[in-house]
Amino acid sequence: MSSRKFTQLLTVATMTVALGACSAGSGDSPAVQPSSTSPRPSSASSPTTTAPVADPAAQEALPQLARQQGAQTSALAPAVGQDSPDLAVLASTTDDISTSISFWAWDGSAFQPAGSVTADEPLLPRRSPEWHYLTGGLYPDAVVYLQGGSMSGGVDAVIARHETDGSWRFVPLEGQSGDGIAVEDDVYAHNPVFDEGFTFVTRVQGGGPVAVTYWRYEEGAGRSWFTRSPAPDPEATRTP
């Protein structure tokens, strides 16, 4: 990620004015709604490419699928080369307690079911799901926003990753909530901010300054999760 991108992310994460963007009475903030369907570049010198576009037939079919499934929110991710099909994520809350999240793959003529997961928090229906490249998989990762968080009208999010066996799972945040919560259950990112890079932040406010934590995906020793990442240094890549 360029120093400019990290500086923008740090600015959004630390400005208390931006906290209102996550309140129940406000709309989505443009600062935290970047393009979420562009694939991750292979290197800093990668040439600029045209953003992928979903099959128009899939775009037309998504609203009908959402109605059929009773979804309250949905989002479409265009296929990226041969790596993934056009993908849809649908989410809904029927009991005010949990959120059902389902995934669908476009086969060229219709959406086919491709897995589902359940979050133990109610959906935040005013925020549409997003697709981001965070874990380095062939498929993008789905971000679904939930009611929760620690700030005024706070927001939680779960991040679902497509596994090699075809299933989807929530990626935990290692050590986010401290002792007393199993790592595999610590999947609710508190008041997160995403941009088009691989690192994202969560924010917590306990009556004082906002505490910002950076997260980045890691794998090893049979485990895969988001771990704490050092804050970016804007000076590190600044041109003399």
Side-chain angles (χ1 to χ4, degrees):
M1 185 186 295
S2 68
S3 62
R4 180 183 177 186
K5 295 285 177 55
F6 269 128
T7 301
Q8 291 174 339
L9 180 58
L10 180 59
T11 300
V12 172
T14 57
M15 287 178 61
T16 56
V17 175
L19 304 184
C22 289
S23 65
S26 63
D28 294 349
S29 168
V32 297
Q33 294 295 323
S35 172
S36 59
T37 55
S38 298
R40 56 195 295 177
S42 58
S43 70
S45 60
S46 298
T48 301
T49 58
T50 302
V53 178
D55 185 336
Q59 298 181 44
E60 184 177 349
L62 180 59
Q64 180 179 358
L65 175 67
R67 288 192 297 270
Q68 291 174 344
Q69 298 298 317
Q72 294 166 282
T73 60
S74 62
L76 184 64
V80 180
Q82 299 300 313
D83 290 342
S84 70
D86 290 347
L87 295 169
V89 56
L90 278 60
S92 62
T93 291
T94 57
D95 55 9
D96 294 325
I97 298 175
S98 60
T99 297
S100 298
I101 303 169
S102 61
F103 301 93
W104 303 76
W106 182 251
D107 67 3
S109 59
F111 280 108
Q112 302 298 331
S116 63
V117 288
T118 300
D120 293 328
E121 291 185 357
L123 180 69
L124 188 67
R126 66 176 178 82
R127 292 287 296 273
S128 297
E130 297 171 359
W131 293 94
H132 294 281
Y133 284 83
L134 298 169
T135 69
L138 296 180
Y139 286 24
D141 305 299
V143 175
V144 178
Y145 290 96
L146 308 171
Q147 299 178 36
S150 60
M151 293 187 292
S152 177
V155 176
D156 278 352
V158 285
I159 303 167
R161 168 185 164 88
H162 183 265
E163 298 294 297
T164 55
D165 63 1
S167 65
W168 290 82
R169 73 172 181 92
F170 294 139
V171 183
L173 287 75
E174 186 259 335
Q176 175 188 230
S177 299
D179 296 335
I181 297 181
V183 170
E184 60 271 19
D185 296 328
D186 203 357
V187 298
Y188 302 99
H190 305 317
N191 302 292
V193 177
F194 299 90
D195 71 356
E196 67 269 33
F198 313 147
T199 303
F200 68 96
V201 303
T202 56
R203 302 164 295 164
V204 176
Q205 185 177 33
V210 178
V212 176
T213 304
Y214 289 78
W215 300 92
R216 192 177 182 93
Y217 184 73
E218 287 189 4
E219 293 182 348
R223 298 177 296 187
S224 57
W225 49 26
F226 292 109
T227 61
R228 286 176 171 82
S229 175
D233 180 5
E235 300 295 330
T237 56
R238 177 172 293 180
T239 302

